[in-house]
Amino acid sequence: MNCPISKRCGSCQYIHMDYPQQLIKKQDYCQKLFPQLNVHSVVGMENPYEYRNKVIVAFNQKYEYGLYEESSHKIVPMQKCLLHDEETHKVLAKIQSLFRKYRMSIYDEHKNRGFLKHVLIRRAIETNQTLVVLVATDGMFKGSKNFCQELVKACPSVQSVVLNVNKRQTSVVLSSIEKVLYGKGFIVDKLCALSFKISAQSFYQINHSQCEKLYAKVAELLNGQKDQVVLDTYCGIGTIGMSIAKNVKKVIGVELNKDAYKDALNNAKMNDIRNISFYNEDATIFMQKMAQSHMHIDSVIMDPPRAGSTKEFVEAIGILKPQSVVYVSCDPSTQARDLKWFQQIGYVTKDVYLYDMFPHTEHVETIVLLSHKSPESTINVKEEFGEGEGKVPLDLIAERAKKYQPKPKITYKMI
Ligand code: SAH
């Protein structure tokens, strides 16, 4: 399909290619990254359009809105983006007409003056709910009541409007300061037959239908058993952990972002999942604490951001020695680096599974299952116990056993 602004916008690097060609390109890329591994065909979308459930746009002084031109802060005005659904466009168009009507002051970054910096839209596709986040330089939005009333009247899918106050001159869009202008400050979506609260700052997979396929593969590779304790690291709002909780004994999630962590706690309650707990901490520090406490962990799921994980995280896995690690990645190049660290601690993998979460862009999501290399050979030692030559006296066995008794375990106090 043709996009009139694709050249200037630059977000969809592959839009000029047929979709099957895009998938081949992604697979070739991964095959080069993982030359020793069996790279499976990419699981693509039937209809690779309108799949994104989140967009952040900026406005210019003419009230045109769009994404920034590649590596610049020039807005490329858009009417319709092929990656977003009708409702997103309808809400954006209404916001634009209200900004015009109320003569909203638009932020000018050169002069560092003005009120409105960005608009973030989040859609819950299954429930048809919309969250609108207005990012502004000030917490005082005069006329916000009328603005919200008019917006909700024209677009009933809008369940909440949040004002995010970001005074800093930075390319980071959101600050931690928020004021709910309308609704509850979050929307609820359904994913894998569970409900999830999504607030402005929390991570939520942007491609709903592909996400369900991705999580189904994670569950298949994890092969959950009723006695299994699983760590869901970099867990976001707890979606992966909750989707596999019913198959295992216990899930422990860890997430750095406070809002996502709070959403995760609420989500567990909302879905009445009781065998899951969450910790708001850096995943590496958390894993190191777990390793120090010699916690027993059967499996680890990891889904780090693009930067990948850390060597220290992997080293902690080397101490915890789970049977399996399911590694989900949104940047296979950092995953390839991390797999080398896994190799050093004796974890191996054979297959890479590819999911196209981001059609028309150069990005691809990958999953690998790592397991501990089994010893090449075993040594059988035959000993006879009792009195007599060549036999091991029984009273010595008790003493020997004492030497090998495990030291008392310090349990990680938060768990
Ligand atoms: N597994 C989730 C989220 C994956 S995105 C899902 O499928 O939705 C990666 C997540 O890692 C984000 O929620 C991000 O906030 C979190 N994160 C980033 N750095 C982290 C760190 N150092 N420790 C723990 N979580 C981190």
Side-chain angles (χ1 to χ4, degrees), residues 43-56:
V43 177
M45 294 187 79
E46 254 171 58
N47 173 20
Y49 297 98
E50 301 189 6
Y51 64 82
R52 274 193 72 99
N53 58 21
K54 175 183 160 186
V55 67
I56 300 172

Side-chain angles (χ1 to χ4, degrees), residues 202-205 211 214-215 232-240 254-257 260 281-284 302-305 328 330 365:
S202 311
F203 178 88
Y204 188 58
Q205 296 282 354
C211 177
L214 181 89
Y215 286 2
D232 179 14
T233 61
Y234 307 92
C235 71
I237 60 170
T239 41
I240 300 184
V254 58
E255 166 60 43
L256 186 62
N257 180 292
E281 197 157 23
D282 170 75
T284 299
M302 55 191 287
D303 185 7
V328 182
C330 52
E365 193 102 357

Side-chain angles (χ1 to χ4, degrees), residues 92-322:
L92 279 173
K94 185 66 198 175
I95 290 174
Q96 181 186 46
S97 78
L98 290 173
F99 281 178
R100 280 206 172 108
K101 177 175 168 186
Y102 290 109
R103 301 224 178 100
M104 194 85 126
S105 146
I106 303 291
Y107 178 71
D108 179 333
E109 64 179 346
H110 301 295
K111 296 182 186 147
N112 193 21
R113 264 211 311 256
F115 178 68
L116 197 278
K117 284 177 134 180
H118 299 276
V119 173
L120 184 157
I121 308 274
R122 268 199 139 143
R123 295 267 304 130
I125 303 291
E126 288 280 306
T127 54
N128 190 27
Q129 297 187 3
T130 308
L131 173 69
V132 173
V133 183
L134 306 173
V135 186
T137 50
D138 196 326
M140 280 302 291
F141 175 10
K142 281 187 209 133
S144 70
K145 222 174 167 179
N146 288 345
F147 176 91
C148 293
Q149 262 171 10
E150 282 188 58
L151 178 62
V152 174
K153 198 165 168 224
C155 308
S157 78
V158 176
Q159 296 290 306
S160 189
V161 182
V162 171
L163 183 69
N164 184 286
V165 187
N166 192 353
K167 292 181 198 287
R168 284 172 303 166
Q169 258 185 303
T170 147
S171 54
V172 179
V173 175
L174 298 175
S175 86
S176 56
I177 308 162
E178 276 184 7
K179 201 166 149 185
V180 177
L181 300 178
Y182 172 80
K184 293 181 176 162
F186 60 83
I187 48 174
V188 177
D189 200 12
K190 284 222 173 327
L191 183 77
C192 301
L194 297 167
S195 299
F196 292 100
K197 275 184 188 170
I198 307 149
S199 49
Q201 313 254 359
S202 311
F203 178 88
Y204 188 58
Q205 296 282 354
I206 54 102
N207 187 330
H208 189 277
S209 63
Q210 289 297 92
C211 177
E212 287 190 334
K213 294 182 200 167
L214 181 89
Y215 286 2
K217 191 71 191 176
V218 172
E220 182 198 315
L221 295 175
L222 186 75
N223 187 23
Q225 306 293 324
K226 281 287 173 215
D227 57 351
Q228 205 174 347
V229 178
V230 181
L231 284 186
D232 179 14
T233 61
Y234 307 92
C235 71
I237 60 170
T239 41
I240 300 184
M242 280 185 232
S243 67
I244 52 106
K246 60 181 178 307
N247 307 331
V248 301
K249 183 175 168 194
K250 186 170 172 54
V251 182
I252 302 161
V254 58
E255 166 60 43
L256 186 62
N257 180 292
K258 204 171 186 144
D259 292 297
Y261 158 75
K262 282 189 201 156
D263 283 348
L265 291 176
N266 282 324
N267 287 330
K269 260 193 217 146
M270 194 163 63
N271 291 287
D272 197 24
I273 299 176
R274 296 177 188 187
N275 61 338
I276 194 161
S277 46
F278 292 99
Y279 297 93
N280 184 203
E281 197 157 23
D282 170 75
T284 299
I285 293 175
F286 181 82
M287 291 302 271
Q288 287 174 327
K289 286 186 190 168
M290 297 290 269
Q292 272 164 17
S293 321
H294 299 284
M295 286 295 295
H296 175 80
I297 300 298
D298 296 294
S299 298
V300 173
I301 298 167
M302 55 191 287
D303 185 7
R306 284 206 180 135
S309 191
T310 64
K311 193 155 197 254
E312 292 77 16
F313 180 102
V314 177
E315 281 165 356
I317 290 203
I319 297 168
L320 286 167
K321 290 200 174 49

Side-chain angles (χ1 to χ4, degrees), residues 205 214 303 328-330 353-355 357-358 364-367:
Q205 296 282 354
L214 181 89
D303 185 7
V328 182
S329 165
C330 52
Y353 302 94
L354 277 54
Y355 286 81
M357 306 289 278
F358 321 100
V364 64
E365 193 102 357
T366 47
I367 316 180

